[in-house]
Amino acid sequence: MTNPTFDVIIIGAGPVGENVADRVVQGGLTAAIVERELIGGECSYWACMPTKALLRDAAALRAVAALPGAGAAVTGDLDVSAVLRRRDSFASHWKDDGQAAWLESAGVTLFRGEGRISGTRQVSVVDSFGASQTLDARHAVVIATGSSARVPEVPGLAAARPWTSREAASTPTVPERLAIIGGGVVGVEMATAFSAFGTAVTIVARDGLLPAIEPFARELLTESLCAKGVSLHLSTEPTSVTRHDSGLVHIDLADGTAVLADEVLVATGRMPNTSRLGVESVGLTPGDWLTVDDALLVLRDGAPVEGAWLYAAGDVSRRVLLTHQGKYQARILGDSIVARAQGAALDATAWGRHAFTADDLAVPQVIFADPEIASVGLTVAEATRRGLRIRAVEYDLGAVAGASLHADGYTGRAGMVVDEDRGVIVGFTVVGPDVAELLHAATIAIAGEVPIDRLWHAVPAYPTVSEVWLRLLETYGRKS
């Protein structure tokens, strides 16, 4: 019996896999996609969309409260049940009928089950009933299986049934006390969300809060969390965790203190979903991140897997663990596979030059805490580490006319990092209420390598918060 054959087979139907499939079909190829969970992946059901839905109501309430007239019209507390219902709607109630219908309309064939690489250009699929079939690819197999929450090996932690980001994003109830292990993006966003729900939140963070961001943004966030009553245990870590018969979780810390909570959320990083992929069949190690070149071909011992047919994109490649970057990789990867299938030579050098900018030099990220933090490019510390001759300037965002109109007592700050030798911006960070929409202007300036001298002619409208760009340029123009 002949195996079903497609031009391209994608393992993983999250945003990355969906985008690869869509691009290759638009390019005239056939595509099959294999998914063992929900079509749409982590972002749709347990990350980007439901978590931001958890955060939005409280952010809107804070914005209203910062205006005297609007604030006077608000009575009562946040309706947590309504927030959770809206969250459920954004997660499509954890059903993927709509996503499945989209795949069908896009001309992509779906196979539900666990996909494993079983040979060159070959994927076996085992469905939920244990039935197996093998699919053949004419041109390429793409691994887009993403990542999962990593649970550290702390004595008693696994047995305490901890939450990961999935449980935090999908919980039907709100605990009275929540302990969060980890001070990264998930940790601070969930601390923001649950503290607004009335939960007593404690963060335990060995490396502090958001250690990779600019210090001025971290300081404002720390002050805000403390003002919300979030208890911070920094520069320490759990040594043991016990969940008692009562359900209470007891966490002993290295500094001799202890934390009691109803639930404990582990937010200490991610691990690749490669342990059950069959990558050992091509000489790779299950459970490891996949190394790729600038064409996103999977490498073994520094060279593409023999035949140059195996690709990886998104989290699993560890280039950038952000949904929008994975989708960016997927679009270019899909077009590259189509070009090669049609006989065109893959110009990895040109692709890699632009991908290096997007995946390394101009990565945008928004942390939807209170206050919001938006950044793109290099921090001062990272630019210095790379040996750039830089000048960094900052400006009080609250002193911008548009910000003072936006909210009474507006507090925020913006900073940019300039490569003095090239005369271009290489980093931008802004912190404050509702700053996320300021970010794309900075992303364009960095990705496009727009000279500082040219940016003077990009005039911000008055009175908007975007006027901070003019103030940063004026500050930069004043020689210290």
Side-chain angles (χ1 to χ4, degrees), residues 151-158 181 238-241:
V151 178
E153 295 183 358
V154 176
L157 179 57
I181 301 174
T239 56
S240 68
V241 179

Side-chain angles (χ1 to χ4, degrees), residues 70-244:
V74 176
T75 59
D77 298 322
L78 189 70
D79 187 338
V80 177
S81 295
V83 173
L84 297 182
R85 288 194 297 273
R86 185 170 187 262
R87 180 275 318 271
D88 292 351
S89 71
F90 273 95
S92 301
H93 300 276
W94 293 274
K95 297 179 181 178
D96 64 1
D97 299 353
Q99 298 279 50
W102 178 84
L103 281 180
E104 183 177 2
S105 70
V108 180
T109 302
L110 170 65
F111 290 86
R112 289 190 182 271
E114 186 159 39
R116 292 176 60 89
I117 297 166
S118 51
T120 300
R121 297 186 180 85
Q122 196 169 77
V123 175
S124 64
V125 183
V126 179
D127 66 21
S128 58
F129 301 101
S132 177
Q133 64 178 315
T134 299
L135 312 178
D136 291 329
R138 295 186 187 92
H139 300 294
V141 173
V142 179
I143 298 174
T145 50
S147 64
S148 300
R150 182 178 65 85
V151 178
E153 295 183 358
V154 176
L157 179 57
R161 304 185 303 281
W163 281 4
T164 67
S165 52
R166 283 196 169 197
E167 288 77 21
S170 60
T171 180
T173 59
V174 173
E176 291 186 15
R177 292 166 294 185
L178 175 64
I180 301 173
I181 301 174
V185 175
V186 172
V188 299
E189 286 190 348
M190 290 302 94
T192 301
F194 281 90
S195 63
F197 298 156
T199 298
V201 177
T202 299
I203 296 179
V204 179
R206 180 188 61 192
D207 299 323
L209 300 180
L210 302 174
I213 68 169
E214 295 287 17
F216 69 81
R218 182 165 56 249
E219 289 167 8
L220 284 179
L221 174 65
T222 301
E223 291 173 5
S224 176
L225 288 174
C226 290
K228 290 177 174 57
V230 175
S231 178
L232 302 179
H233 293 260
L234 308 181
S235 302
T236 189
E237 60 186 338
T239 56
S240 68
V241 179
T242 303
R243 186 182 286 273
H244 299 291

Side-chain angles (χ1 to χ4, degrees), residues 6 10 31 41-42 45 144 172 317 324 341 346 351 364 366 430 444 450 466:
F6 301 87
I10 302 106
E42 202 79 11
Y45 306 102
S317 71
H324 45 273
L346 178 62
W351 191 96
V366 178
V430 61
I444 292 171
V450 181
S466 292

Side-chain angles (χ1 to χ4, degrees), residues 27-49:
L29 302 184
T30 59
I33 197 162
V34 182
E35 177 55 58
R36 65 184 174 90
E37 293 189 303
L38 295 175
I39 304 163
E42 202 79 11
C43 181
S44 298
Y45 306 102
W46 301 287
C48 317
M49 298 305 292

Side-chain angles (χ1 to χ4, degrees), residues 293-296 319 328 332 336 346-361:
D293 65 9
D294 281 336
L296 297 181
R319 288 175 75 102
Y328 161 79
I332 295 181
S336 298
L346 178 62
D347 187 356
T349 302
W351 191 96
R353 181 174 63 253
H354 297 298
F356 180 72
T357 298
D359 274 359
D360 184 68
L361 301 179

